Amino acid sequence: MEGGGDGSPPGSVSASPAGEAGGGGGISLHGFRGRLAEQPVHFHAMRLRGSLFLWVGEEEAPRLSNLAVAMCTPRDSIPASTSLLGDASDSTSNSLAQRLASKTKKQIFVSYNIKNTDNSFILLVENRIKEEMKAFPEKF
């Protein structure tokens, strides 16, 4: 269902397997945006069972130029992470995935597609994500 009419935020879509009551373990898609340091930033989140895929970019039309995954492990306080796609020397997606995995205790996939990789800007991006997580926890 498209967000808005059922109480979910605009830009949200929920899908549940046939016969499953809403919210249980289906896929939830959620899009949002922000203006960070005078730059428009678009976000697309896909909640899966036990994990979250998060795309961050400058344009509305997503392109997947990199992808990292992070997850908590019982042996280390810092989530394990690795780059799955793209330039391995760019650790932006890895770092963001690690911090979000630490916060949510979920497996987190992140694709960060913004040229600005300044630490203070990335912190703005992370804070915008956390703001949205707090406002719509069911989408994450």
Side-chain angles (χ1 to χ4, degrees):
M1 284 188 279
E2 191 64 37
D6 62 353
S8 63
S12 297
V13 177
S14 293
S16 296
E20 184 176 310
I27 297 171
S28 174
L29 303 174
H30 180 60
F32 57 102
R33 59 180 90 32
R35 190 161 199 77
L36 309 174
E38 300 304 315
Q39 180 176 345
V41 179
H42 300 272
F43 302 85
H44 296 283
M46 179 170 48
R47 188 201 69 215
L48 304 163
R49 190 173 310 188
S51 64
L52 175 70
F53 179 95
L54 185 64
W55 180 91
V56 182
E58 297 170 295
E59 303 167 14
E60 279 191 61
R63 69 181 211 291
L64 199 63
S65 59
N66 63 64
L67 182 63
V69 64
M71 65 188 83
C72 294
T73 67
R75 296 189 180 104
D76 200 347
S77 61
I78 299 170
S81 71
T82 190
S83 178
L84 301 173
L85 176 70
D87 183 1
S89 69
D90 179 6
S91 63
T92 309
S93 291
N94 262 359
S95 299
L96 188 54
Q98 276 185 313
R99 290 193 301 276
L100 292 172
S102 184
K103 176 181 172 36
T104 63
K105 307 298 183 219
K106 292 182 176 184
Q107 181 181 40
I108 305 288
F109 295 87
V110 172
S111 180
Y112 184 90
N113 300 280
I114 299 177
K115 292 178 186 102
N116 186 346
T117 57
D118 176 69
N119 284 338
S120 60
F121 185 78
I122 295 167
L123 185 59
L124 292 174
V125 168
E126 182 179 350
N127 287 338
R128 178 64 184 98
I129 294 165
K130 288 178 179 176
E131 226 175 70
E132 198 74 8
M133 286 178 157
K134 188 175 181 180
F136 303 104
E138 73 281 0
K139 296 295 177 184
F140 296 91

Coordinates of all heavy atoms in Angstrom, one line a residue, residues 2-87:
E2 N 0.5 2.2 -0.7 CA 1.2 3.5 -0.7 C 1.0 4.2 0.6 O -0.1 4.2 1.1 CB 0.7 4.4 -1.9 CG 1.5 5.6 -2.2 CD 2.9 5.3 -2.6 OE1 3.1 4.3 -3.4 OE2 3.8 6.0 -2.2
G3 N 2.0 4.8 1.1 CA 1.9 5.5 2.4 C 1.0 6.6 2.4 O 0.7 7.2 1.4
G4 N 0.5 7.0 3.6 CA -0.4 8.1 3.7 C -1.8 7.7 4.2 O -2.3 8.1 5.2
G5 N -2.5 6.9 3.4 CA -3.9 6.6 3.7 C -4.1 5.6 4.9 O -5.1 5.6 5.5
D6 N -3.0 4.8 5.2 CA -3.1 3.9 6.3 C -2.4 4.3 7.5 O -2.1 3.5 8.4 CB -2.6 2.5 5.8 CG -1.2 2.5 5.4 OD1 -0.6 3.6 5.4 OD2 -0.6 1.4 5.2
G7 N -2.0 5.6 7.6 CA -1.3 6.1 8.7 C 0.2 6.1 8.6 O 0.9 6.6 9.4
S8 N 0.7 5.4 7.5 CA 2.1 5.4 7.3 C 2.6 6.6 6.6 O 1.8 7.3 5.9 CB 2.5 4.1 6.5 OG 1.9 4.2 5.2
P9 N 3.8 7.0 6.7 CA 4.3 8.2 6.1 C 4.3 8.2 4.6 O 4.4 7.1 4.0 CB 5.8 8.4 6.6 CG 6.1 7.0 7.0 CD 4.9 6.3 7.4
P10 N 4.1 9.4 3.9 CA 4.2 9.4 2.5 C 5.5 8.8 2.0 O 6.6 9.0 2.6 CB 4.1 10.9 2.1 CG 3.4 11.5 3.3 CD 3.9 10.7 4.5
G11 N 5.5 8.1 0.9 CA 6.8 7.5 0.4 C 7.0 6.2 0.9 O 8.1 5.6 0.7
S12 N 6.1 5.6 1.7 CA 6.3 4.3 2.3 C 5.4 3.3 1.6 O 4.3 3.6 1.1 CB 5.9 4.3 3.7 OG 6.7 5.2 4.5
V13 N 5.9 2.1 1.5 CA 5.2 0.9 0.9 C 5.4 -0.3 1.8 O 6.5 -0.5 2.2 CB 5.7 0.6 -0.5 CG1 5.0 -0.6 -1.1 CG2 5.6 1.8 -1.5
S14 N 4.4 -1.0 2.1 CA 4.5 -2.2 2.9 C 4.0 -3.4 2.1 O 3.1 -3.3 1.3 CB 3.7 -2.1 4.2 OG 4.3 -1.1 5.0
A15 N 4.7 -4.5 2.2 CA 4.3 -5.7 1.5 C 4.4 -6.9 2.5 O 5.5 -7.1 3.1 CB 5.1 -6.0 0.3
S16 N 3.4 -7.7 2.6 CA 3.5 -8.9 3.5 C 3.1 -10.1 2.7 O 2.3 -10.0 1.7 CB 2.4 -8.8 4.6 OG 2.7 -7.7 5.5
P17 N 3.8 -11.2 3.0 CA 3.4 -12.4 2.3 C 2.0 -12.8 2.4 O 1.3 -12.4 3.4 CB 4.3 -13.5 2.9 CG 5.4 -12.8 3.6 CD 4.8 -11.4 4.0
A18 N 1.4 -13.5 1.4 CA 0.0 -13.8 1.5 C -0.4 -14.5 2.8 O 0.3 -15.4 3.2 CB -0.4 -14.7 0.3
G19 N -1.5 -14.1 3.4 CA -2.0 -14.7 4.6 C -1.4 -14.2 5.8 O -1.8 -14.6 6.9
E20 N -0.4 -13.3 5.7 CA 0.3 -12.8 6.9 C -0.4 -11.5 7.3 O -0.6 -10.6 6.5 CB 1.8 -12.6 6.6 CG 2.5 -12.1 7.9 CD 4.0 -12.0 7.6 OE1 4.6 -13.0 7.0 OE2 4.6 -10.9 7.9
A21 N -0.7 -11.3 8.6 CA -1.2 -10.1 9.1 C -0.2 -9.0 9.0 O 1.0 -9.2 9.1 CB -1.6 -10.2 10.6
G22 N -0.6 -7.7 8.7 CA 0.3 -6.6 8.5 C 1.4 -6.5 9.6 O 1.1 -6.6 10.7
G23 N 2.6 -6.1 9.1 CA 3.7 -5.8 10.0 C 4.5 -6.9 10.5 O 5.6 -6.7 11.0
G24 N 4.1 -8.2 10.4 CA 4.8 -9.3 11.0 C 6.3 -9.4 10.5 O 7.2 -9.1 11.2
G25 N 6.5 -9.9 9.3 CA 7.8 -10.1 8.8 C 8.0 -9.7 7.3 O 8.9 -10.1 6.7
G26 N 7.0 -9.0 6.8 CA 7.1 -8.7 5.4 C 8.1 -7.6 5.1 O 8.8 -7.1 6.0
I27 N 8.2 -7.3 3.9 CA 9.2 -6.2 3.4 C 8.5 -4.9 3.6 O 7.3 -4.7 3.2 CB 9.6 -6.5 1.9 CG1 10.3 -7.8 1.8 CG2 10.4 -5.3 1.4 CD1 10.5 -8.2 0.4
S28 N 9.2 -3.9 4.1 CA 8.7 -2.6 4.2 C 9.7 -1.6 3.5 O 10.9 -1.6 3.7 CB 8.6 -2.2 5.7 OG 8.3 -0.8 5.8
L29 N 9.2 -0.8 2.5 CA 10.0 0.2 1.8 C 9.6 1.6 2.3 O 8.4 1.8 2.5 CB 9.7 0.1 0.3 CG 9.9 -1.2 -0.4 CD1 9.4 -1.2 -1.8 CD2 11.3 -1.7 -0.3
H30 N 10.6 2.4 2.5 CA 10.4 3.7 3.0 C 11.3 4.7 2.4 O 12.5 4.5 2.4 CB 10.6 3.7 4.6 CG 10.4 5.0 5.2 ND1 9.2 5.7 5.2 CD2 11.2 5.7 6.0 CE1 9.3 6.8 5.9 NE2 10.5 6.8 6.4
G31 N 10.8 5.7 1.8 CA 11.6 6.8 1.2 C 11.5 8.1 1.9 O 10.4 8.4 2.4
F32 N 12.6 8.8 2.1 CA 12.5 10.1 2.8 C 13.7 10.9 2.2 O 14.5 10.4 1.5 CB 12.5 10.0 4.3 CG 13.7 9.2 4.9 CD1 14.7 9.9 5.5 CD2 13.7 7.9 4.9 CE1 15.8 9.3 6.1 CE2 14.8 7.2 5.5 CZ 15.8 7.9 6.0
R33 N 13.7 12.2 2.5 CA 14.7 13.1 2.1 C 15.1 14.1 3.1 O 14.3 14.3 4.1 CB 14.4 13.7 0.7 CG 13.1 14.6 0.7 CD 12.8 15.2 -0.6 NE 12.0 14.6 -1.6 CZ 11.0 13.8 -1.7 NH1 10.5 13.3 -0.8 NH2 10.4 13.5 -2.7
G34 N 16.1 14.8 2.9 CA 16.5 15.9 3.8 C 17.4 16.9 3.0 O 17.9 16.6 2.0
R35 N 17.5 18.1 3.6 CA 18.4 19.1 3.0 C 19.5 19.2 4.1 O 19.3 19.8 5.1 CB 17.7 20.4 2.8 CG 18.5 21.3 2.0 CD 17.6 22.4 1.3 NE 18.3 23.1 0.3 CZ 18.5 22.6 -0.9 NH1 18.0 21.4 -1.2 NH2 19.1 23.3 -1.9
L36 N 20.7 18.7 3.8 CA 21.8 18.7 4.7 C 22.9 19.6 4.2 O 23.4 19.3 3.1 CB 22.3 17.3 5.0 CG 21.2 16.2 5.3 CD1 21.8 14.8 5.3 CD2 20.5 16.6 6.6
A37 N 23.3 20.6 5.0 CA 24.3 21.5 4.6 C 24.0 22.1 3.2 O 24.9 22.1 2.3 CB 25.7 20.9 4.6
E38 N 22.8 22.4 3.0 CA 22.3 23.0 1.7 C 22.3 22.0 0.5 O 22.2 22.5 -0.6 CB 23.1 24.3 1.4 CG 23.0 25.4 2.4 CD 21.5 25.8 2.7 OE1 20.8 26.0 1.7 OE2 21.2 25.9 3.9
Q39 N 22.5 20.8 0.8 CA 22.5 19.8 -0.2 C 21.3 18.8 -0.1 O 21.1 18.3 1.0 CB 23.8 19.0 -0.2 CG 23.9 17.9 -1.2 CD 25.3 17.2 -1.2 OE1 26.2 17.7 -0.6 NE2 25.3 16.1 -1.8
P40 N 20.5 18.6 -1.1 CA 19.4 17.7 -1.0 C 20.0 16.2 -1.0 O 20.9 15.9 -1.8 CB 18.6 17.9 -2.3 CG 19.5 18.6 -3.3 CD 20.6 19.3 -2.4
V41 N 19.4 15.4 -0.1 CA 19.9 14.0 0.1 C 18.6 13.2 0.1 O 17.6 13.5 0.8 CB 20.7 13.8 1.4 CG1 21.1 12.4 1.5 CG2 21.9 14.7 1.4
H42 N 18.6 12.1 -0.7 CA 17.5 11.2 -0.7 C 17.9 9.9 -0.1 O 19.0 9.4 -0.2 CB 17.1 10.9 -2.2 CG 16.7 12.2 -2.9 ND1 15.5 12.6 -2.9 CD2 17.5 13.0 -3.6 CE1 15.4 13.7 -3.6 NE2 16.6 14.0 -4.1
F43 N 16.9 9.3 0.6 CA 17.1 8.0 1.3 C 16.0 7.0 0.9 O 14.9 7.4 0.8 CB 17.0 8.2 2.8 CG 17.9 9.3 3.4 CD1 17.6 10.6 3.4 CD2 19.1 8.9 4.0 CE1 18.4 11.6 3.9 CE2 19.9 9.8 4.6 CZ 19.6 11.2 4.5
H44 N 16.4 5.8 0.8 CA 15.5 4.7 0.5 C 15.9 3.6 1.5 O 17.0 3.1 1.5 CB 15.6 4.2 -0.9 CG 15.2 5.2 -1.9 ND1 13.8 5.5 -2.2 CD2 15.9 6.0 -2.7 CE1 13.8 6.5 -3.1 NE2 15.0 6.8 -3.4
A45 N 14.9 3.1 2.3 CA 15.1 2.1 3.3 C 14.2 0.9 2.9 O 13.1 1.1 2.6 CB 14.9 2.5 4.7
M46 N 14.8 -0.3 3.0 CA 14.0 -1.5 2.8 C 14.3 -2.4 4.0 O 15.4 -2.9 4.2 CB 14.4 -2.3 1.5 CG 13.6 -3.5 1.3 SD 13.9 -4.3 -0.3 CE 15.6 -4.4 -0.6
R47 N 13.2 -2.5 4.8 CA 13.3 -3.4 6.0 C 13.0 -4.8 5.6 O 11.9 -5.1 5.0 CB 12.4 -2.9 7.1 CG 12.6 -3.7 8.4 CD 11.4 -3.6 9.3 NE 10.3 -4.4 8.7 CZ 9.0 -4.1 8.8 NH1 8.7 -3.0 9.5 NH2 8.1 -4.9 8.3
L48 N 13.8 -5.7 5.9 CA 13.6 -7.1 5.7 C 13.6 -7.8 7.1 O 13.9 -7.2 8.1 CB 14.8 -7.7 4.9 CG 14.9 -7.0 3.5 CD1 16.3 -7.3 2.9 CD2 13.8 -7.4 2.6
R49 N 13.3 -9.1 7.2 CA 13.3 -9.7 8.5 C 14.8 -9.8 9.0 O 15.6 -10.4 8.4 CB 12.8 -11.2 8.3 CG 12.6 -11.9 9.6 CD 11.9 -13.2 9.3 NE 10.8 -12.9 8.5 CZ 9.8 -13.8 8.2 NH1 9.9 -15.0 8.6 NH2 8.8 -13.5 7.4
G50 N 15.0 -9.1 10.1 CA 16.3 -9.1 10.7 C 17.4 -8.2 10.1 O 18.6 -8.3 10.5
S51 N 17.1 -7.5 9.0 CA 18.1 -6.7 8.3 C 17.4 -5.5 7.7 O 16.2 -5.4 7.6 CB 18.8 -7.5 7.3 OG 18.0 -8.0 6.2
L52 N 18.3 -4.6 7.3 CA 17.9 -3.3 6.7 C 18.8 -3.0 5.5 O 20.0 -3.1 5.7 CB 17.9 -2.2 7.7 CG 17.6 -0.8 7.2 CD1 16.1 -0.6 6.9 CD2 18.0 0.2 8.3
F53 N 18.2 -2.6 4.4 CA 19.0 -2.1 3.2 C 18.7 -0.6 3.2 O 17.6 -0.2 3.1 CB 18.5 -2.8 2.0 CG 19.3 -2.4 0.7 CD1 20.4 -3.0 0.3 CD2 18.9 -1.2 0.1 CE1 21.1 -2.6 -0.9 CE2 19.5 -0.8 -1.1 CZ 20.6 -1.5 -1.5
L54 N 19.8 0.2 3.1 CA 19.6 1.6 3.1 C 20.4 2.2 2.0 O 21.7 2.0 1.9 CB 20.1 2.2 4.4 CG 20.0 3.7 4.7 CD1 18.5 4.0 4.7 CD2 20.6 4.1 6.0
W55 N 19.8 2.9 1.1 CA 20.4 3.6 0.0 C 20.4 5.1 0.3 O 19.3 5.7 0.7 CB 19.7 3.4 -1.3 CG 20.3 4.0 -2.5 CD1 21.3 3.5 -3.3 CD2 20.0 5.3 -3.0 NE1 21.6 4.5 -4.3 CE2 20.8 5.6 -4.1 CE3 19.1 6.4 -2.6 CZ2 20.8 6.8 -4.8 CZ3 19.1 7.5 -3.3 CH2 19.9 7.7 -4.4
V56 N 21.5 5.8 0.1 CA 21.6 7.2 0.4 C 22.3 7.8 -0.9 O 23.3 7.4 -1.4 CB 22.5 7.5 1.6 CG1 22.6 9.0 1.8 CG2 22.1 6.8 2.8
G57 N 21.6 8.9 -1.4 CA 22.2 9.5 -2.6 C 21.7 10.9 -2.9 O 20.8 11.4 -2.2
E58 N 22.3 11.5 -3.9 CA 22.0 12.9 -4.3 C 20.8 13.0 -5.2 O 20.2 14.1 -5.3 CB 23.2 13.6 -4.9 CG 24.4 13.6 -4.0 CD 25.7 14.0 -4.7 OE1 26.2 13.3 -5.5 OE2 26.2 15.1 -4.3
E59 N 20.5 12.0 -5.9 CA 19.5 12.0 -6.9 C 18.3 11.1 -6.5 O 18.5 10.1 -5.8 CB 20.0 11.5 -8.3 CG 21.2 12.3 -8.7 CD 21.9 11.6 -9.9 OE1 21.4 10.7 -10.5 OE2 23.1 12.1 -10.2
E60 N 17.1 11.4 -7.0 CA 16.0 10.5 -6.7 C 16.1 9.2 -7.3 O 15.6 8.2 -6.8 CB 14.7 11.2 -7.1 CG 14.2 12.3 -6.1 CD 12.8 12.7 -6.4 OE1 11.9 11.9 -6.4 OE2 12.7 13.9 -6.6
A61 N 16.7 9.1 -8.5 CA 16.8 7.9 -9.2 C 18.0 7.1 -8.7 O 19.2 7.5 -9.0 CB 17.0 8.1 -10.7
P62 N 17.8 6.1 -7.9 CA 19.0 5.4 -7.3 C 19.9 4.7 -8.2 O 19.4 4.1 -9.2 CB 18.3 4.3 -6.4 CG 16.9 4.8 -6.2 CD 16.5 5.5 -7.5
R63 N 21.2 4.8 -8.0 CA 22.1 4.0 -8.7 C 23.0 3.3 -7.6 O 23.2 3.9 -6.6 CB 23.0 4.8 -9.7 CG 23.9 5.8 -9.1 CD 24.6 6.6 -10.2 NE 26.0 6.9 -9.8 CZ 26.2 7.8 -8.9 NH1 25.3 8.5 -8.3 NH2 27.5 8.1 -8.6
L64 N 23.4 2.1 -7.9 CA 24.2 1.4 -6.8 C 25.6 1.4 -7.2 O 26.1 0.5 -7.9 CB 23.6 0.0 -6.8 CG 23.8 -0.8 -5.5 CD1 23.2 -0.2 -4.3 CD2 23.3 -2.2 -5.7
S65 N 26.4 2.4 -6.8 CA 27.8 2.4 -7.1 C 28.7 1.7 -6.1 O 29.8 1.5 -6.3 CB 28.3 3.9 -7.3 OG 28.0 4.6 -6.1
N66 N 28.1 1.5 -4.9 CA 28.9 0.7 -3.9 C 27.9 0.1 -2.9 O 26.7 0.4 -2.9 CB 29.8 1.6 -3.1 CG 29.1 2.7 -2.4 OD1 28.3 2.4 -1.5 ND2 29.3 4.0 -2.8
L67 N 28.3 -0.9 -2.2 CA 27.5 -1.6 -1.2 C 28.4 -2.2 -0.1 O 29.4 -2.8 -0.4 CB 26.6 -2.7 -1.9 CG 25.7 -3.4 -1.0 CD1 24.6 -2.5 -0.4 CD2 25.0 -4.6 -1.8
A68 N 28.0 -2.0 1.1 CA 28.7 -2.6 2.3 C 27.7 -3.2 3.2 O 26.5 -2.8 3.2 CB 29.5 -1.5 3.0
V69 N 28.1 -4.2 4.0 CA 27.3 -4.8 5.0 C 28.0 -4.9 6.3 O 29.2 -5.0 6.3 CB 26.9 -6.2 4.5 CG1 28.1 -7.2 4.4 CG2 25.8 -6.8 5.4
A70 N 27.2 -4.7 7.4 CA 27.8 -4.8 8.7 C 26.8 -5.6 9.6 O 25.6 -5.5 9.4 CB 28.1 -3.4 9.3
M71 N 27.3 -6.3 10.6 CA 26.5 -7.0 11.5 C 27.2 -7.2 12.8 O 28.4 -7.2 12.9 CB 26.0 -8.3 11.0 CG 27.1 -9.3 10.8 SD 26.6 -10.8 9.9 CE 26.7 -10.2 8.2
C72 N 26.5 -7.2 13.9 CA 27.0 -7.4 15.2 C 27.4 -8.9 15.4 O 26.8 -9.8 14.8 CB 26.0 -7.1 16.3 SG 25.6 -5.3 16.3
T73 N 28.5 -9.1 16.1 CA 29.0 -10.5 16.4 C 29.1 -10.6 17.9 O 29.3 -9.6 18.6 CB 30.3 -10.7 15.7 OG1 31.3 -9.9 16.4 CG2 30.3 -10.4 14.2
P74 N 29.0 -11.8 18.4 CA 29.1 -12.0 19.8 C 30.5 -11.9 20.4 O 30.7 -11.7 21.6 CB 28.6 -13.5 20.0 CG 28.7 -14.1 18.7 CD 28.6 -13.1 17.7
R75 N 31.5 -11.9 19.5 CA 32.9 -11.8 20.0 C 33.5 -10.4 20.0 O 34.6 -10.3 20.5 CB 33.7 -12.7 19.1 CG 33.3 -14.2 19.2 CD 34.3 -15.1 18.5 NE 33.9 -16.4 18.7 CZ 33.3 -17.1 17.7 NH1 33.1 -16.6 16.5 NH2 32.9 -18.4 17.9
D76 N 32.8 -9.4 19.4 CA 33.4 -8.1 19.3 C 32.4 -7.0 19.5 O 31.2 -7.2 19.1 CB 34.1 -8.0 17.9 CG 35.1 -6.9 17.9 OD1 35.2 -6.1 18.8 OD2 35.8 -6.8 16.9
S77 N 32.8 -5.9 20.2 CA 31.8 -4.9 20.4 C 31.6 -4.0 19.2 O 30.6 -3.3 19.0 CB 32.3 -4.0 21.6 OG 33.6 -3.4 21.2
I78 N 32.5 -4.1 18.2 CA 32.4 -3.3 17.0 C 31.9 -4.3 15.9 O 32.4 -5.4 15.7 CB 33.8 -2.8 16.5 CG1 34.3 -1.8 17.5 CG2 33.7 -2.1 15.1 CD1 35.8 -1.4 17.3
P79 N 30.8 -3.9 15.2 CA 30.2 -4.8 14.2 C 31.2 -5.1 13.1 O 32.0 -4.3 12.7 CB 29.0 -4.0 13.7 CG 28.7 -3.1 14.8 CD 30.0 -2.7 15.4
A80 N 31.1 -6.4 12.6 CA 32.0 -6.8 11.5 C 31.4 -6.2 10.2 O 30.2 -6.1 10.1 CB 32.0 -8.3 11.4
S81 N 32.2 -5.7 9.3 CA 31.7 -5.1 8.1 C 32.6 -5.4 6.9 O 33.8 -5.7 7.1 CB 31.6 -3.6 8.2 OG 32.9 -3.0 8.3
T82 N 32.1 -5.4 5.7 CA 32.9 -5.6 4.5 C 32.2 -4.8 3.4 O 31.0 -4.6 3.4 CB 33.0 -7.1 4.2 OG1 34.0 -7.2 3.2 CG2 31.7 -7.7 3.8
S83 N 33.0 -4.5 2.4 CA 32.5 -3.9 1.2 C 32.2 -5.0 0.2 O 33.0 -5.9 0.0 CB 33.6 -3.0 0.6 OG 33.2 -2.4 -0.6
L84 N 31.0 -4.9 -0.4 CA 30.5 -6.0 -1.3 C 30.6 -5.5 -2.8 O 30.7 -6.4 -3.7 CB 29.0 -6.3 -1.0 CG 28.7 -6.8 0.4 CD1 27.2 -7.0 0.6 CD2 29.5 -8.1 0.6
L85 N 30.6 -4.2 -3.0 CA 30.5 -3.7 -4.3 C 31.2 -2.3 -4.3 O 31.0 -1.5 -3.4 CB 29.1 -3.6 -4.8 CG 28.7 -3.0 -6.1 CD1 29.2 -3.9 -7.3 CD2 27.2 -2.7 -6.3
G86 N 31.9 -2.0 -5.4 CA 32.5 -0.7 -5.5 C 33.9 -0.5 -5.1 O 34.6 -1.5 -4.8
D87 N 34.4 0.7 -4.9 CA 35.8 1.0 -4.5 C 36.0 0.6 -3.1 O 35.5 1.3 -2.2 CB 36.0 2.5 -4.8 CG 37.4 2.9 -4.5 OD1 38.3 2.1 -4.1 OD2 37.7 4.1 -4.7

